[in-house]
Amino acid sequence: MKKTFLLSVLLFTMAFAKAQSNTEEYIASHAEHAQELMRTHDIPASIILAIAIHESAAGTSKIARYLNNHFGVKGENSNTEIRSAYRDYPTVDSSYNHFISFLQSRTHFNSLFDKYDQYDYRNWAKGIQRGGYAHSRTWSSQVIALIKKYELYEYDERPEDYVEPVIAAPVYKKSSVAKRVRTYLVKKGDNLNKIAKKLGTSATALMKKNNLKSAALQPGQKIKI
């Protein structure tokens, strides 16, 4: 039992180390082109790299291997080796280039280029998610986590005195609509005990809630329930 557990731990550790090594190799291979795109379009290289790592499993996904598609962009392809709803590219760099064109050509994303600079990877990630790039609610958090884990912000050429903008926590306003008060209309023949039994409460509770000094009721009278 102990040997089996140790073997499982060893295999997991080896798999984790290999995945990390693959990701580091991927970054080394594509960081330069990501930086070229950053300098031309003012989008963080860290964002480009992190999204590519996330969407292509650091270049190991099927569509990355067969279609050179590193950003999960859907479309037609001419590949005969696999059947896929994702478009193909002649090179990995062309997939990177098209990702930028894709963002610039969609109204949900192109405003980000004017709104955020090439150093603000957090707001870029959140803005791309808000635009509908991915359905997962945790997508931007996962992308940001990759940037932090592999220190991809080092590729953003930040000035030494750069201060990251503070992202304000969402403020949830209390509803201004008053809570609706439920009432019961007293009918002929009703009494507090009868009403209380019908509502699953007690006569004493009803008297307290309605500030009644007497248990006497009149038909047509409204009482809070």
Side-chain angles (χ1 to χ4, degrees):
M1 184 73 175
K2 188 175 180 181
K3 288 183 178 180
T4 303
F5 173 75
L6 291 174
L7 179 60
S8 298
V9 171
L10 178 62
L11 291 174
F12 174 81
T13 303
M14 290 174 63
F16 179 81
K18 184 178 180 181
Q20 182 146 334
S21 176
N22 287 343
T23 302
E24 289 169 351
E25 289 176 9
Y26 182 90
I27 294 166
S29 298
H30 302 291
E32 185 176 349
H33 189 59
Q35 286 186 302
E36 290 174 2
L37 293 171
M38 173 186 70
R39 295 171 191 137
T40 303
H41 302 285
D42 295 325
I43 176 174
S46 58
I47 277 291
I48 300 171
L49 287 168
I51 294 176
I53 292 167
H54 186 274
E55 299 299 324
S56 73
T60 64
S61 71
K62 200 170 184 179
I63 64 170
R65 289 184 289 109
Y66 285 93
L67 306 176
N68 286 323
N69 189 325
H70 286 235
F71 293 89
V73 178
K74 292 188 175 182
E76 295 182 358
N77 70 75
S78 56
N79 191 282
T80 57
E81 295 180 89
I82 63 169
R83 295 181 63 182
S84 174
Y86 295 88
R87 63 167 293 169
D88 59 346
Y89 298 92
T91 64
V92 176
D93 281 359
S94 61
S95 174
Y96 272 62
N97 296 342
H98 182 255
F99 171 67
I100 304 300
S101 300
F102 173 84
L103 294 181
Q104 291 176 327
S105 65
R106 302 303 196 272
T107 55
H108 296 304
F109 306 120
N110 62 19
S111 62
L112 302 177
F113 290 88
D114 296 323
K115 196 170 183 181
Y116 305 121
D117 58 36
Q118 72 182 59
Y119 317 119
D120 192 0
Y121 66 83
R122 285 185 175 83
N123 274 316
W124 268 97
K126 292 179 182 297
I128 292 173
Q129 177 172 315
R130 283 195 304 271
Y133 187 83
H135 296 298
S136 170
R137 292 182 179 180
T138 61
W139 182 87
S140 63
S141 297
Q142 292 169 343
V143 169
I144 291 170
L146 284 170
I147 292 173
K148 290 181 177 180
K149 179 178 180 179
Y150 294 101
E151 299 182 348
L152 299 179
Y153 47 79
E154 295 290 347
Y155 296 100
D156 292 341
E157 300 177 343
R158 292 174 161 188
E160 290 185 6
D161 59 349
Y162 179 75
V163 178
E164 289 189 13
V166 177
I167 300 177
V171 177
Y172 300 99
K173 295 181 179 179
K174 291 183 179 180
S175 175
S176 59
V177 179
K179 187 177 179 180
R180 187 176 178 183
V181 179
R182 295 177 61 201
T183 60
Y184 177 84
L185 185 65
V186 178
K187 302 177 182 65
K188 189 176 180 180
D190 276 340
N191 59 55
L192 275 179
N193 287 324
K194 185 177 179 181
I195 296 170
K197 186 176 181 181
K198 187 185 296 185
L199 299 175
T201 184
S202 67
T204 303
L206 288 176
M207 288 186 70
K208 186 176 180 180
K209 192 167 189 177
N210 289 274
N211 295 317
L212 296 175
K213 295 180 180 180
S214 169
L217 299 175
Q218 297 293 328
Q221 181 181 347
K222 288 184 178 178
I223 60 172
K224 297 176 186 177
I225 60 174

